[in-house]
Amino acid sequence: MIIELNERQRTILDKLSDDGSVSVTALAQNLGLSEVTIRGDLKDLEDKGWITRKWGGAAPVTHRDILERQREHQEQKNLIARAAADLVRDGDVIMIEAGTTTALVARYLLGKRDVHIVTNSTLVFAYARMNPLLQITMTGGEFRRPTESMVGPIALGTIARLNVRLAFVGTDGFTLERGITTHLMEGAEIVKAMKDHAQTTVLVADSSKYGKIGFTTVLPLAAMDLILTDGNLPAEAMEDLAAGGITIKQIMSKVKDGSVSKFA
C-alpha cells in the first residue's frame, strides 16, 4: 500500500494517477534527482507490484481510479483491515472480495500460517504473493480494470465449488434502508456468492461509505455477520444500526499523551 512507500515513490504513483504514465527523465527533472535514483524507485515499485516498467519510464498496473481510491482514508482503511486480519486463524480458508480495504486484509496476514485465500482481486493477489505462508486461489473470470477484479460466470463457478470459514467483502456504500450497494452489478453477484459459501461474512468499510447509495443493492445489512468500520461513524448512525439489529464494531485510533492507542 502507498503508506509503505517513501515520499518519492508516493509522488511517482500520484503522477501515474494523474497522467497515466511517467518518464524517467521527466521524473528526475521534476524531483531534482538523478535518473539512477529514479530507476531504483521504479524497480522497487515494480517489485512491489505497483507498476510495470517500459522503455524510458513506467505505467501503472492498476487502473487510475483504484490508485485514487487507495489514497483516500488510508489510516482508517488500515485500521479496519488489521482488525479484519486479526479474525483469521492459522489454517483458515477465507475469501476476499475485490476492493481497496479488503485488499489490505491480505497485507496484515503476515505471521499467520497455512492460510488459504480465495479471491477475485488482483490487488489481493499483489499483497498475498509476497507472503510465502499464504496459499492463493484466483477465481478466474472476466477482468474488470476499474476495480481490478475478476467477475462473471467463471468467477462465480469457482466460488460455488468452495466453502470457507470467513469471507471479507467491501461496498461502495451502505445504509440501513438500502443495505450494501455497489455501482457494478457483476461485483454484487460475487459478494452474494461469497456470502453463500462462507460460515461468517464480514463487511469492511470505512465510515465515508455510510449514507452513500450505489446503483444496485447487493444485500441487506442484516445479512452481514459483522461490520467493521472506523471511529468516525457518527454516534447517531451507530445507534440506528444497533437498533436495527446490525452487529457493527468501530476500530479507532486515539492519540493520548503523545502516544497512539488502538481500541474497539
Side-chain angles (χ1 to χ4, degrees):
M1 119 178 230
I2 291 177
I3 203 168
E4 294 178 296
L5 308 177
N6 63 43
E7 193 61 37
R8 289 196 312 273
Q9 292 168 341
R10 294 180 204 176
T11 300
I12 291 170
L13 288 182
D14 286 345
K15 189 70 172 173
L16 280 168
S17 176
D18 293 337
D19 299 342
S21 65
V22 292
S23 72
V24 171
T25 300
L27 284 172
Q29 292 174 349
N30 290 339
L31 298 178
L33 298 168
S34 70
E35 293 190 6
V36 172
T37 299
I38 295 299
R39 289 193 183 95
D41 282 330
L42 294 180
K43 182 180 185 305
D44 192 32
L45 287 168
E46 184 177 51
D47 290 343
K48 292 177 178 177
W50 282 101
I51 67 168
T52 178
R53 287 191 292 171
K54 59 182 184 179
W55 183 259
V61 296
T62 56
H63 193 271
R64 191 176 304 181
D65 289 348
I66 285 287
L67 288 173
E68 291 172 354
R69 292 202 299 273
Q70 284 177 319
R71 292 205 301 266
E72 297 173 345
H73 312 291
Q74 291 183 29
E75 179 183 0
Q76 292 86 351
K77 289 179 178 181
N78 275 274
L79 288 171
I80 294 165
R82 187 190 296 273
D86 286 343
L87 300 175
V88 179
R89 307 168 187 162
D90 290 348
D92 259 342
V93 183
I94 65 175
M95 290 182 182
I96 305 180
E97 188 245 341
T100 55
T101 306
T102 49
L104 289 171
V105 176
R107 173 182 180 260
Y108 286 110
L109 292 175
L110 190 65
K112 307 282 184 178
R113 295 182 175 276
D114 302 318
V115 173
H116 187 161
I117 296 174
V118 179
T119 187
N120 71 321
S121 168
T122 57
L123 292 181
V124 170
F125 176 75
Y127 287 123
R129 72 183 178 87
M130 306 299 289
N131 186 341
L133 298 179
L134 299 178
Q135 183 177 344
I136 310 164
T137 295
M138 298 294 293
T139 63
E142 299 175 42
F143 180 59
R144 293 292 179 263
R145 186 166 281 104
T147 53
E148 290 293 325
S149 65
M150 311 296 285
V151 298
I154 293 175
L156 293 171
T158 299
I159 294 169
R161 292 193 296 270
L162 304 173
N163 299 290
V164 303
R165 189 177 75 85
L166 287 168
F168 297 101
V169 300
T171 182
D172 290 326
F174 67 104
T175 67
L176 191 57
E177 296 76 16
R178 301 293 179 89
I180 302 168
T181 59
T182 182
H183 298 298
L184 179 64
M185 295 188 70
E186 292 169 311
E189 296 305 312
I190 295 291
V191 173
K192 291 176 183 177
M194 287 188 172
K195 180 194 165 31
D196 287 344
H197 291 270
Q199 295 177 31
T200 301
T201 304
V202 181
L203 174 66
V204 293
D206 69 80
S207 58
S208 73
K209 302 290 182 65
Y210 183 73
K212 293 182 178 178
I213 300 174
F215 176 65
T216 183
T217 293
V218 183
L219 289 165
L221 288 186
M224 297 293 103
D225 297 290
L226 174 65
I227 298 174
L228 294 178
T229 191
D230 60 78
N232 293 330
L233 194 66
E236 182 180 354
M238 287 292 293
E239 292 170 2
D240 290 343
L241 291 168
I246 309 303
T247 302
I248 185 166
K249 186 175 184 180
Q250 286 185 290
I251 313 301
M252 304 192 220
S253 178
K254 183 178 180 181
V255 179
K256 185 176 182 180
D257 298 327
S259 62
V260 177
S261 60
K262 298 185 178 91
F263 60 93

